[in-house]
Each structure stands twice: as structure tokens, then as C-alpha cells.
């Protein structure tokens, strides 16, 4: 799990530099023409598009990376965080209000396990899941939507748990243009620290639950 998350970070950095060097994506694409330097309109467009993309499966790490590239570390972190929290809320609401019966039929047994994992303290357990260095954001949102977990503690726990990786990937994205060696090295170091912290807190406070019961692990395979 930890290695997978680190590989995601390194691959995004490599893709960012490749696109910049080749003159595609970052130089001539959506971010440079529609987002950067467009003021409030660009920020609003970034949040709206990335929120919808995150709701249907764009990795939150990619949203943060793009935010860092477009707006720098501080602005990118804040706007990417807003986008992924909105995406989380959209996916959760969809599962609860529209797709609940389908998802429940498809993953009934595993949803019961996830419900048990989150039920006692949904805010804290959601926070722990989000602090882990890897996992499916979309699956977690959808599965939580069909459990008995309340929307407020789930979304609030998600928002708080998103902060470390959002900061790390926004820092990496901001390094494509400014101080790349320093910022990317620091982002890798912070990723390692935040990942280890997430694993430590999970093992300390999981209350006997297995990591295999977290939403993305519980849905692996077929019923």
C-alpha cells in the first residue's frame, strides 16, 4: 500500500515534466489557457471541473498535483482540497440517493463489513482511512453512501484526512516550475512521513478491525 502511493507520486512528477518538456498538456492545454492567470473565474472553473472529475474517479492526488501546478502550494492546496471534498460529497450523495439499491445488491456482504468498520466512530475511522497512503477514493465514497454512516461525519473526516496528501501532491505540482529539486524532494519526504503517520494511527486506533475491512479492500473480488 505504502509503495503504491509513493509510485503514484513519482509517476505524476515524471508525467508533469514530460508534458512540460514536450510542449503538451501543461503548456498548451486546459490549465495554461483556461485556469492560470484567469483570476476568480479560473479558480471557480478549476474547482467545478475537478470536483466533478473527482466524483467520478479522478484520483484526488492528481487534482492536488494540478492545483499545485496551476496556483502554487498554498492556493493549489486550498482549491484542490475544496474540489476533492465536493467530489466526495457528490459521490456519497449519488450512492445514497440514486445508486443505493444497485450498489447494495452488487456488494451486499462486503458493505456490511464496511458498515461495521465505520459505524462506531464514523468521523475517526473515516479520518484513518483517508490518512492511509493509498486506496480508492471513489470506492470509499460510494460504499460509505450505502452504509448507515452519517453524511456529516464522513465528509468532515474525509476533509481533514485529505489535507496531508493534498499538501504533498500540490507541493510536487508546484515544483514543475519553481525549485523542482527542493520541492519534489520535500514532497517525497512529506509523503513518507504522512504515510507512516497514517499507518501508525490506523494500527493504534483501529479497535481490532483489519485493514482488509476498509472500503476499497472489502470490495475486491466478487460476492
Amino acid at each position: 500500500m505504502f509503495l503504491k502511493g509513493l509510485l503514484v507520486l513519482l509517476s505524476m512528477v515524471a508525467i508533469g515534466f514530460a508534458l512540460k518538456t514536450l510542449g503538451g498538456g501543461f503548456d498548451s492545454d486546459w490549465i495554461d489557457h483556461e485556469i492560470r492567470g484567469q483570476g476568480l473565474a479560473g479558480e471557480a472553473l478549476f474547482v467545478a471541473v475537478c470536483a466533478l472529475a473527482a466524483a467520478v474517479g479522478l484520483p484526488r492526488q492528481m487534482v492536488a498535483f494540478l492545483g499545485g501546478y496551476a496556483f502554487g502550494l498554498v492556493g493549489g492546496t486550498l482549491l484542490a482540497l475544496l474540489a476533492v471534498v465536493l467530489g466526495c460529497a457528490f459521490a456519497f450523495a449519488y450512492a445514497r440517493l440514486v445508486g443505493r439499491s444497485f450498489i447494495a445488491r452488487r456488494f451486499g456482504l462486503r458493505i456490511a463489513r464496511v458498515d461495521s468498520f465505520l459505524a462506531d466512530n464514523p468521523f475517526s475511522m473515516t479520518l484513518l482511512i483517508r490518512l492511509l497512503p493509498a486506496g480508492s477514493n471513489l470506492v470509499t465514497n460510494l460504499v460509505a453512501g450505502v452504509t448507515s454512516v452519517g453524511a456529516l461525519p464522513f465528509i468532515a473526516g474525509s476533509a481533514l484526512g485529505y489535507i496531508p496528501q493534498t499538501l504533498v501532491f500540490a507541493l510536487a505540482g508546484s515544483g514543475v516550475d519553481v525549485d523542482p529539486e527542493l520541492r519534489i524532494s520535500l514532497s517525497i519526504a512529506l509523503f513518507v512521513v504522512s504515510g507512516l503517520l497514517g499507518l501508525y494511527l490506523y494500527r493504534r486506533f483501529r479497535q481490532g478491525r483489519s485493514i482488509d475491512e476498509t472500503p476499497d479492500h472489502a470490495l475486491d473480488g466478487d460476492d
Side-chain angles (χ1 to χ4, degrees):
M1 174 181 289
F2 184 82
L3 180 60
K4 179 181 177 182
L6 184 58
L7 289 174
V8 169
L9 173 60
L10 294 175
S11 66
M12 286 184 187
V13 171
I15 291 170
F17 277 108
L19 290 173
K20 184 175 177 64
T21 301
L22 296 172
F26 285 121
D27 282 337
S28 60
D29 200 290
W30 179 64
I31 292 289
D32 284 326
H33 285 87
E34 304 294 336
I35 302 301
R36 297 180 87 177
Q38 301 301 314
L40 185 60
E43 295 173 358
L45 181 61
F46 174 84
V47 170
V49 171
C50 287
L52 291 174
V56 298
L58 181 69
R60 57 190 171 100
Q61 295 90 345
M62 177 60 78
V63 174
F65 188 88
L66 293 174
Y69 172 76
F71 304 109
L73 175 59
V74 176
T77 298
L78 294 175
L79 291 171
L81 182 62
L82 176 59
V84 295
V85 171
L86 288 174
C88 168
F90 292 158
F92 182 93
Y94 168 81
R96 179 148 297 185
L97 301 176
V98 179
R100 188 166 192 161
S101 59
F102 169 77
I103 296 172
R105 286 197 306 270
R106 180 66 180 83
F107 301 112
L109 294 177
R110 291 178 175 85
I111 286 172
R113 290 163 54 193
V114 174
D115 201 1
S116 175
F117 184 91
L118 296 173
D120 292 340
N121 197 330
F123 175 85
S124 297
M125 300 311 293
T126 300
L127 174 61
L128 290 180
I129 291 171
R130 300 306 196 184
L131 288 174
L132 294 175
S136 172
N137 185 52
L138 176 61
V139 171
T140 300
N141 296 336
L142 291 176
V143 174
V146 300
T147 67
S148 62
V149 173
L152 182 59
F154 176 76
I155 295 171
S158 295
L160 185 59
Y162 284 153
I163 292 175
Q165 285 196 42
T166 302
L167 178 64
V168 165
F169 280 84
L171 178 61
S174 70
V176 172
D177 273 339
V178 182
D179 296 328
E181 295 85 359
L182 174 62
R183 294 192 180 214
I184 292 169
S185 297
L186 183 57
S187 69
I188 292 172
L190 289 174
F191 177 84
V192 172
V193 171
S194 65
L196 292 175
L197 176 61
L199 290 172
Y200 168 77
L201 292 174
Y202 176 82
R203 289 172 178 171
R204 182 168 182 178
F205 298 108
R206 62 184 177 177
Q207 300 173 335
R209 297 171 174 84
S210 166
I211 199 168
D212 291 334
E213 296 176 87
T214 57
D216 49 311
H217 283 79
L219 291 178
D220 287 340
D222 296 319
D223 281 329

